Amino acid sequence: MKLISWNVNGLRACLGKGFSDYFTRQDADFFCLQETKMQPGQADLQTPNHHAFWNSAERKGYSGTAIFAKRQPLAVTYGMGNDLHDHEGRLITLEYESFFLVTVYTPNSQRELTRLMYRMCWEEDFRLYLKALDERKPVIVCGDMNVAHQEIDLKNPRTNVNNAGFTRQERDAMTRLLDSGFVDTFRYLHPDATGCYSWWSYMFNARANNAGWRIDYFLVSERIRDKIRDARIDSDVLGSDHCPVVLEIDL
């Protein structure tokens, strides 16, 4: 089973930069998007072999997630059932017989960390949400989680301490999530790999210089880590300031 996650930073713009070719070529069982920045029907996107599920933000042109799935799920949930968090289109959950699939676009703490307090509230509520799912059946979580967990996960850790995405609070929240029974699939297979990033600033030729951050993840429940077959970053795929991340797993 192949799953792909990609923060497209505006799907309508990404469609003009090769998205459809990549989508067709990969032929993934699940294709999860973050930061779609659109409402359903605002783009000419043909996915005849996939069922489409959209969670758009109430604010137009902002945030938003989508999942394209070859198999019809047993159930679909938008958001986490918490009014504090469910207005920005950041979460979709598909339920299948043997697992849950969750795609998430974690809130950014913003410059000067103006949203860090809200982010910490989100982190704990999201962790509890995933734990509740995990008590029922294994979970696959993917998306832009807006944190570089370890120093190895960004090019310049020393100069980014206390910047959004690399604060101690955000990194500790990721540690708590993993300690709750989840595995970072990329680090599970590639514990010491360096220079592996999924996001690059548009400034300072960051992508050309590979001055990036790994902030896009696939996490899985601890008890299915032996089912992981591949976890990779398609860093050569353009079209967004993020690139796709891929998981292959036997479920």
Side-chain angles (χ1 to χ4, degrees):
M1 188 168 74
K2 181 195 287 188
L3 305 96
I4 295 176
S5 177
W6 192 4
N7 178 322
V8 291
N9 192 15
L11 181 55
R12 286 171 290 179
C14 196
L15 280 168
K17 301 174 183 178
F19 175 88
S20 295
D21 289 341
Y22 180 75
F23 184 96
T24 301
R25 186 169 67 252
Q26 292 298 314
D27 192 32
D29 297 283
F30 298 95
F31 212 113
C32 303
L33 306 183
Q34 304 85 42
E35 207 170 359
T36 54
K37 296 184 178 179
M38 58 171 282
Q39 309 293 316
Q42 285 190 306
D44 183 18
L45 178 61
Q46 304 298 320
T47 60
N49 298 322
H50 292 76
H51 305 278
F53 305 95
W54 300 85
N55 191 5
S56 301
E58 294 176 4
R59 173 181 163 190
K60 297 294 192 333
Y62 177 74
S63 188
T65 49
I67 300 179
F68 303 95
K70 283 188 176 180
R71 292 172 50 203
Q72 183 72 38
L74 300 175
V76 185
T77 303
Y78 300 98
M80 62 176 94
N82 186 327
D83 188 64
L84 179 63
H85 303 306
D86 289 350
H87 297 276
E88 297 184 350
R90 294 185 177 274
L91 194 65
I92 303 174
T93 303
L94 305 186
E95 179 181 1
Y96 290 91
E97 291 83 357
S98 58
F99 67 97
F100 289 102
L101 172 62
V102 178
T103 198
V104 62
Y105 178 35
T106 300
N108 190 297
S109 294
Q110 303 294 336
R111 290 185 180 179
E112 300 183 3
L113 306 181
T114 56
R115 220 179 183 200
L116 181 60
M117 185 177 297
Y118 169 69
R119 165 70 176 266
M120 291 301 99
C121 183
W122 165 282
E123 291 282 2
E124 183 61 11
D125 289 342
F126 183 56
R127 185 181 70 85
L128 294 174
Y129 175 78
L130 293 181
K131 279 190 65 178
L133 294 180
D134 189 47
E135 289 174 0
R136 297 170 56 191
K137 61 184 76 173
V139 180
I140 300 172
V141 189
C142 68
D144 175 2
M145 302 186 78
N146 260 317
V147 60
H149 184 215
Q150 303 169 337
E151 289 191 357
I152 197 175
D153 293 318
L154 72 167
K155 177 72 171 183
N156 298 304
R158 291 185 180 180
T159 57
N160 280 291
V161 171
N162 292 326
N163 285 342
F166 199 60
T167 64
R168 175 50 57 191
Q169 296 95 316
E170 292 163 313
R171 296 171 66 195
D172 286 349
M174 175 61 90
T175 298
R176 284 193 298 274
L177 176 56
L178 295 174
D179 287 348
S180 295
F182 297 94
V183 173
D184 176 349
T185 60
F186 183 80
R187 280 289 165 232
Y188 176 69
L189 293 184
H190 312 285
D192 302 314
T194 60
C196 302
Y197 309 124
S198 64
W199 173 79
W200 303 261
S201 170
Y202 281 130
M203 300 184 291
F204 311 120
N205 293 315
R207 191 155 191 172
N209 297 322
N210 198 29
W213 300 46
R214 190 176 72 94
I215 60 176
D216 300 88
Y217 295 83
F218 269 100
L219 312 181
V220 301
S221 295
E222 177 79 29
R223 63 189 181 278
I224 58 170
R225 67 179 181 177
D226 62 327
K227 306 295 186 183
I228 299 167
R229 295 295 171 259
D230 190 20
R232 67 179 186 272
I233 302 172
D234 279 355
S235 57
D236 59 336
V237 176
L238 306 178
S240 169
D241 52 349
H242 295 248
C243 72
V245 294
V246 183
L247 173 68
E248 295 187 23
I249 189 168
D250 288 340
L251 278 183

